[in-house]
Amino acid sequence: MSLARPNARLLARTNRVVMSQVRAYSAPGEGAIPPSKKRYVPTSGTYPLGFRAGSAHVGVKPSNTRFDDLALIASDTPCSGAAVFTTNKFQAAPVTVSREMLKRRKGEGVRAVIINSGCANAVTGKGGIEDAIKMGQETDKCFINDSNGEDDGNGSRSIVMSTGVIGQRLPIQKILSKLPTVYYNLGDTHEHWLSTARAICTTDTFPKLVSRTFMLPSSQEEYHIAGMTKGAGMIHPNMATLLGIICTDAPIAPAPLQQALTNAITKSFNSISIDGDTSTNDTVAILANGAAGGQTISSTSSEDFRAFQETLTDFAIDLAKLVVRDGEGATKFVTIRVTNAKTYEDAKRVGSTIARSPLVKTALYGKDANWGRVLCATGYAEGVESVIPEETSVSFIPTDGSEELKLLVKGEPEQVDEERAAKILEAEDLEILVRLSEKYHDEATVWTCDFSHEYVTINGDYRT
């Protein structure tokens, strides 16, 4: 019996499909930072007094056999604490436990933030809550022998965070057994902070760490602020699969600290979008221990508060931008600036709608100056009263400082120089400017990235 000859066209098509499914990105487990991302990883830093950071390997995800996945950031003394959490109705156990802890303590007497990566401890029922409580309680015990470790009767002093796969229980005994190790590994050097930032990563391709100094009007002291964040996908307000930890040695009472963080989040972590998905675990927390001295900021009407608010907002924006730069499979960092809106909220809604449009994002990936997609997203933004079609303008703003490329002016299409448009879209960074009218004055900025083939590849095999 003779065999039928294979269909050459079918074989070619099958080979193309198989080849297209081969992983083409540097997976987190491989540990390699892409050359294009290395410039975002700091080689030194200046860190707040009285804080230490450390990491350890647990193997929360069975496939992780060598990379640290447990992180601890701790203050030498009890400090003020505040946090902003996800608005997803399915809130992970660590979100519930940490929110309750801060509420019970009224933001006072916090000592540490403990984080595991590899498992989100989300949608895990009562058992997940118990695991999150144990993580906090056992972390507290690490401090029991120091002079500031005594029980003050208000329960746990530790904020708990988890990130990774949803719907699976933590290997809690493995985590608890490594808490003494991560405590022993605490230190205040740049290497300690960087290894800790790396330990909280999941699909991130590089650790995200920022530090700087600042001054307050009432003091001659130099203050320090440092923070790390993780997130590369499932990113969209409010907030995202995103964790952030910020520490400062400035003296700030819990109430103004919470207000400053809430305000800062609005213009930073709540102004980024990678894929339009809001996670179950989002948490950004801040600790302030006052170790650098000076007068405590106790009022939101003081000059010191206003100065700190500006510092924290700028700092949070820089951290949030790193998340966008590491968007899963992203090749472009896109700033969407919406101006001439009736309200900040209108401008923000338009910018956010453009940022999560798959058609806009795929056009940017393809270097296609398809401004019609930007205009379409502007028009269907919900709850916006500022859009006046005959007064709306759209432009690309080049990163080289050259003149803006006008695409639409007051509702009338321009004769676009396609060659110049293609050249602008070759750059990694791009700004899209949308003017909604000729009579309003509020504006907002949103940061996003493009959609590439690799986004599908990364998320198609994330659990496995």
Side-chain angles (χ1 to χ4, degrees), residues 32-242:
I33 298 175
S36 63
K37 306 294 185 182
K38 287 183 178 180
R39 66 183 183 273
Y40 302 120
V41 181
T43 57
S44 63
T46 175
Y47 298 100
L49 305 177
F51 280 100
R52 294 173 293 150
S55 62
H57 174 257
V58 175
V60 173
K61 203 169 184 178
S63 59
N64 176 16
T65 59
R66 60 193 178 102
F67 295 104
D68 286 1
D69 52 0
L70 184 65
L72 178 64
I73 300 96
S75 172
D76 292 341
T77 58
C79 56
S80 298
V84 175
F85 300 98
T86 180
T87 59
N88 193 307
K89 289 182 175 62
F90 289 95
Q91 301 195 346
V95 169
T96 300
V97 169
S98 296
R99 178 190 285 113
E100 190 58 35
M101 184 275 287
L102 288 171
K103 182 180 178 181
R104 182 176 62 252
R105 287 195 153 274
K106 299 180 181 179
E108 298 177 342
V110 181
R111 284 298 300 272
V113 182
I114 183 72
I115 315 107
N116 75 271
S117 62
C119 177
N121 191 11
V123 198
T124 46
K126 292 180 180 179
I129 294 290
E130 292 171 359
D131 290 343
I133 291 173
K134 287 178 184 176
M135 278 182 67
Q137 290 176 339
E138 294 300 311
T139 300
D140 295 336
K141 291 180 181 179
C142 294
F143 301 96
I144 203 163
N145 293 322
D146 70 35
S147 60
N148 295 295
E150 66 278 359
D151 183 4
D152 64 356
N154 291 317
S156 178
R157 296 177 180 271
S158 299
I159 293 171
V160 179
M161 299 183 186
S162 297
T163 184
V165 176
I166 293 172
Q168 296 181 4
R169 288 286 297 276
L170 290 173
I172 189 63
Q173 293 306 320
K174 289 175 67 176
I175 291 174
L176 299 183
S177 70
K178 288 300 181 77
L179 288 176
T181 302
V182 75
Y183 177 77
Y184 178 80
N185 290 342
L186 288 173
D188 59 6
T189 69
H190 172 69
E191 287 68 30
H192 285 96
W193 283 86
L194 188 60
S195 68
T196 305
R198 189 186 296 270
I200 68 176
C201 292
T202 50
T203 59
D204 307 63
T205 64
F206 67 92
K208 300 163 184 63
L209 176 66
V210 177
S211 64
R212 64 185 53 148
T213 61
F214 65 97
M215 303 288 288
L216 293 175
S218 70
S219 176
Q220 296 302 310
E221 303 291 343
E222 181 179 67
Y223 296 104
H224 309 79
I225 187 169
M228 62 188 70
T229 188
K230 65 79 49 184
M234 202 178 278
I235 304 291
H236 187 70
N238 296 304
M239 286 174 291
T241 304
L242 181 152

Side-chain angles (χ1 to χ4, degrees), residues 257-279:
L257 184 64
Q258 180 66 63
Q259 186 62 57
L261 180 64
T262 300
N263 293 344
I265 292 298
T266 298
K267 294 191 175 182
S268 57
F269 289 104
N270 276 351
S271 291
I272 62 174
S273 182
I274 288 175
D275 48 21
D277 272 336
T278 297
S279 168

